[in-house]
């Protein structure tokens, strides 16, 4: 293990479940191991929650919600505590970013962005705690009719391994701002920063049981949380396949549900675009976080007249990307999160070659150990190719062409997903027209992967439903009561 790796691990404190304000072992005594994707080395072992531990966590959250101080606290006091939590995360950001790198394999520079966005999310939602207004309604008669916004209760939050802390923050921050209690299940590959979040929350005074963290596998701990009758809402980010299963389990119950699932986003370049800027945005859109991003711009639609020049520029830029040690601040593309994910990428890339697309990979040296994959560009891609249809969740870009705006819309929308899209053109009227016609929850123009806690994010079609971020992300954690 490298010196940097060791230092970060030595300072790793929590390695057990956090339930009812206590660090506890799993009832079964089970532990799960996490490995650094860039070396394959063991990072840590933590307690592995199973159904009986999830039961205990839900019971603790239930007690905290039904009888504890948190939902009854003055909103201003909840806001202050969330702000303190944001400060505590900010103060510990360097260490947390390193832990995130060890668990995920993402480049440290990008982990630092995650940390900034995590702090932003807590600060933003801290502000909302005091602004959960109801309304007065002018009904007929001498009647006072008003609405209240009340917390939904116990929230089960299930998060993926690509942005472990940030995805936790997107759920925990609005849930807590509204006065809910949370049981957070991080992905089995990346439990460390969720446990750290629990430790920081306890340190700044969050009452016991308000935030419980239960690392464990999806089919055991995750499914137990989804099925649990004591849970009032499930907030899930992950694959479309698992999202669909969760939807089926929740159907017919009184649980609220938000799903943030997969994507196959199109980035569309028109011939009048500022091409250098567009290429920079396309590269950021697909190679950021090794492409392990639900809104990754994995399909590039280029207007035919500029396709050759765009591909040349892309190849030149790919050749400059530094692939390697994610703890090195100069690294652009880190390690793929797991062997399983690497194999999935390799299989889909092989299908692209077999189906007749043309592959380009820069001749960069990959580290000998770890799960690395070269940034990859496919040209001559047909819409029917698997690489143009399936979510790869890796650093692989498929280039298709179009002649007219109508054809671009038709191709961009020709997917079962609908999370995001990008448009590159200098023509303002074209941006507005395309933005209206693209069937995607988020449309960026002349930029990509731009996130802000004030802005809602979420999908159409098989990319899920509900929104995270902004006011809409907040309203997913309250019930409207009419009095
Ligand atoms: P990925 O393919 O990106 O790993 P998953 O959808 O499998 O995405 O995982 C996202 C999260 O969902 C993880 O926390 C995982 O443990 C959890 N999960 C996986 N399967 C289930 C399931 N059947 N029920 C509930 N949660 C699950």
């Amino acid at each position: 293990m490298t010196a940097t790796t060791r230092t970060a691990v030595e300072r790793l404190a929590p390695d057990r479940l956090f339930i009812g304000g206590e660090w506890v072992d799993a009832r079964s005594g089970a532990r799960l191991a996490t490995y650094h994707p860039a070396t394959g080395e063991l990072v840590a072992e933590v307690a592995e929650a199973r159904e009986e531990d999830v039961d205990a966590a839900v019971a603790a959250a239930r007690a905290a919600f039904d009888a504890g101080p948190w939902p009854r606290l003055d909103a201003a006091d909840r806001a202050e505590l969330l702000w303190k939590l944001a400060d505590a995360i900010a103060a510990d950001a360097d260490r947390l970013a390193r832990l995130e790198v060890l668990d995920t394999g993402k480049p440290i520079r990008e982990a630092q962005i995650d940390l900034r966005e995590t702090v932003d999310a807590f600060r933003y939602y801290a502000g909302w705690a005091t602004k959960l207004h109801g309304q007065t309604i002018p009904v007929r008669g001498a009647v006072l009719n008003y609405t209240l916004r009340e917390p939904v209760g116990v929230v089960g939050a299930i998060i993926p391994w690509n942005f472990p802390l940030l995805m936790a923050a997107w759920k925990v921050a609005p849930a807590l701002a509204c006065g809910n209690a949370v049981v957070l299940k991080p992905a089995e590959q990346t439990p460390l920063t969720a446990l750290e979040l629990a430790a920081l929350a306890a340190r700044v005074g969050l009452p016991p049981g308000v935030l419980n963290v239960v690392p464990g596998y999806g089919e055991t701990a995750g499914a137990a949380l989804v099925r649990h009758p004591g849970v009032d809402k499930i907030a899930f980010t992950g694959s479309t396949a698992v999202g669909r299963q969760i939807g089926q389990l929740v159907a017919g119950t009184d649980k609220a549900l938000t799903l943030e699932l997969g994507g196959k986003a199109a980035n569309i370049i028109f011939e009048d675009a500022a091409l250098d800027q567009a290429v920079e945005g396309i590269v950021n859109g697909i190679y950021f976080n090794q492409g392990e991003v639900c809104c990754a711009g994995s399909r590039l639609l280029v207007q035919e007249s500029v396709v050759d020049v765009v591909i040349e520029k892309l190849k030149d830029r790919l050749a400059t990307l530094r692939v390697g040690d994610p703890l090195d601040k100069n690294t652009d593309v880190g390690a793929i999160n797991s062997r399983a994910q690497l194999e999935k990428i390799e299989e889909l890339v092989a299908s692209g070659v077999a189906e007749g697309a043309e592959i380009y990979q820069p001749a960069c040296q990959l580290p000998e150990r770890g799960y690395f994959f070269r940034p990859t560009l496919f040209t001559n891609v047909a819409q029917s190719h698997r690489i143009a249809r399936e979510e790869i969740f890796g650093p692989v870009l498929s280039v298709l062409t179009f002649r007219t705006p109508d054809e671009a819309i038709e191709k961009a929308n020709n997917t079962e997903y609908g999370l995001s899209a990008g448009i590159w053109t200098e023509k303002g009227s074209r941006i507005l027209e395309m933005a209206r016609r693209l069937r995607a929850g988020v449309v960026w123009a002349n930029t990509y992967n731009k996130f802000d806690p004030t802005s809602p994010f979420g999908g159409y079609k098989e990319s899920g439903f509900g929104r995270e971020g902004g006011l809409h992300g907040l309203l997913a954690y309250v019930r409207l009561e009419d009095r």
Side-chain angles (χ1 to χ4, degrees), residues 33 37 42 50 76-77 148 166 171 199 215 247 268-269 288 301 303 318 326 329 418 451 472:
L42 181 74
R50 295 188 182 161
D77 293 335
L148 296 171
L166 184 58
K171 294 169 177 55
I268 307 169
I269 304 189
F288 179 77
L301 303 182
Q303 199 155 23
L318 251 64
K329 67 178 181 0
F451 285 96
H472 296 90

Side-chain angles (χ1 to χ4, degrees), residues 258-274:
T258 42
L259 295 174
E260 206 269 86
L261 309 176
K264 191 73 192 174
N267 244 318
I268 307 169
I269 304 189
F270 287 92
E271 59 191 2
D272 69 294

Side-chain angles (χ1 to χ4, degrees), residues 16-70:
R16 291 191 284 173
L17 315 178
F18 191 66
I19 297 180
E22 308 277 344
W23 295 101
V24 296
D25 287 316
R27 292 339 185 236
S28 67
R31 318 245 323 148
L32 65 79
T34 82
Y35 299 92
H36 183 36
T39 60
E41 287 170 305
L42 181 74
V43 176
E45 279 190 3
V46 303
E48 181 213 321
R50 295 188 182 161
E51 186 165 359
E52 59 273 24
D53 307 298
V54 170
D55 286 348
V58 174
R62 228 14 311 150
F65 184 75
D66 294 337
W70 185 247

Side-chain angles (χ1 to χ4, degrees), residues 157-162 185-190 216-227 234 236-243 245-246 249 260-261 337-338 341 344 391 393:
I158 301 178
I159 58 168
W161 46 259
N162 56 348
K185 196 208 78 69
E188 53 271 30
Q189 300 88 344
T190 55
Y217 293 94
E219 307 76 46
T220 50
L225 191 56
V226 173
R227 280 196 310 262
I234 292 290
F236 173 80
T237 299
S239 62
T240 294
V242 172
Q245 285 175 29
I246 290 177
L249 281 175
E260 206 269 86
L261 309 176
N337 180 254
S338 64
Q341 186 56 28
K344 184 184 155 203
E391 185 178 43
F393 228 61

Side-chain angles (χ1 to χ4, degrees), residues 450-463:
K450 195 156 179 57
F451 285 96
D452 194 284
T454 59
S455 187
F457 179 78
Y460 282 32
K461 301 195 271 185
E462 295 200 8
S463 292

Side-chain angles (χ1 to χ4, degrees), residues 91-294:
D92 215 7
D94 287 344
R95 193 176 65 89
L96 292 170
R98 286 237 297 276
L99 283 177
E100 202 76 314
V101 171
L102 293 179
D103 251 3
T104 60
K106 70 171 69 202
I108 184 77
R109 263 190 296 119
E110 296 182 359
Q112 285 159 349
I113 297 174
D114 292 2
L115 260 295
R116 277 200 297 280
E117 292 185 356
T118 298
V119 171
D120 271 4
F122 277 101
R123 291 200 173 131
Y124 172 74
Y125 281 113
W128 270 117
T130 49
K131 294 158 196 81
L132 277 167
H133 299 159
Q135 291 177 313
T136 52
I137 309 206
V139 293
R140 284 185 196 277
V143 172
L144 173 62
N145 181 203
Y146 60 93
T147 58
L148 296 171
R149 302 231 188 244
E150 295 289 331
V152 290
V154 172
V155 173
I158 301 178
I159 58 168
W161 46 259
N162 56 348
F163 295 93
L165 186 60
L166 184 58
M167 291 301 104
W170 279 14
K171 294 169 177 55
V172 171
L176 296 189
C178 301
N180 296 284
V182 178
V183 177
L184 171 65
K185 196 208 78 69
E188 53 271 30
Q189 300 88 344
T190 55
L192 301 183
T193 47
L195 293 170
E196 294 282 340
L197 179 65
L200 292 175
R203 199 198 305 157
V204 299
L206 192 72
V210 176
L211 175 62
N212 307 275
V213 180
V214 285
Y217 293 94
E219 307 76 46
T220 50
L225 191 56
V226 173
R227 280 196 310 262
H228 203 295
V231 172
D232 299 296
K233 175 192 164 70
I234 292 290
F236 173 80
T237 299
S239 62
T240 294
V242 172
R244 209 176 277 134
Q245 285 175 29
I246 290 177
Q248 282 162 2
L249 281 175
V250 165
T253 73
D254 61 357
K255 285 192 184 75
L257 178 64
T258 42
L259 295 174
E260 206 269 86
L261 309 176
K264 191 73 192 174
N267 244 318
I268 307 169
I269 304 189
F270 287 92
E271 59 191 2
D272 69 294
L275 293 183
D276 288 327
Q277 184 196 341
V279 164
E280 211 42 48
I282 302 308
V283 166
N284 165 53
I286 182 63
Y287 302 111
F288 179 77
N289 211 54
Q290 299 76 239
E292 297 164 326
V293 184
C294 46

